[in-house]
Short mmCIF file of all heavy atoms in Angstrom, two decimals:
data_model
loop_
_atom_site.label_atom_id
_atom_site.label_comp_id
_atom_site.label_asym_id
_atom_site.label_seq_id
_atom_site.Cartn_x
_atom_site.Cartn_y
_atom_site.Cartn_z
N VAL A 16 124.50 131.70 92.39
CA VAL A 16 124.97 132.92 91.71
C VAL A 16 124.29 134.15 92.31
O VAL A 16 124.95 135.16 92.60
CB VAL A 16 124.71 132.82 90.19
CG1 VAL A 16 124.96 134.16 89.50
CG2 VAL A 16 125.59 131.74 89.58
N PHE A 21 124.27 138.88 96.01
CA PHE A 21 123.80 139.51 97.25
C PHE A 21 124.94 139.71 98.23
O PHE A 21 125.04 140.74 98.90
CB PHE A 21 122.70 138.67 97.90
CG PHE A 21 121.33 138.90 97.36
CD1 PHE A 21 121.11 139.42 96.10
CD2 PHE A 21 120.23 138.56 98.12
CE1 PHE A 21 119.84 139.62 95.61
CE2 PHE A 21 118.95 138.75 97.65
CZ PHE A 21 118.76 139.28 96.39
N PHE A 68 126.87 125.00 107.10
CA PHE A 68 127.05 126.41 106.76
C PHE A 68 128.24 126.94 107.52
O PHE A 68 128.22 127.01 108.75
CB PHE A 68 125.79 127.22 107.10
CG PHE A 68 125.92 128.69 106.87
CD1 PHE A 68 126.08 129.19 105.59
CD2 PHE A 68 125.91 129.57 107.93
CE1 PHE A 68 126.22 130.54 105.38
CE2 PHE A 68 126.05 130.93 107.72
CZ PHE A 68 126.20 131.42 106.44
#
Side-chain angles (χ1 to χ4, degrees):
V16 170
F21 276 23
F68 176 66

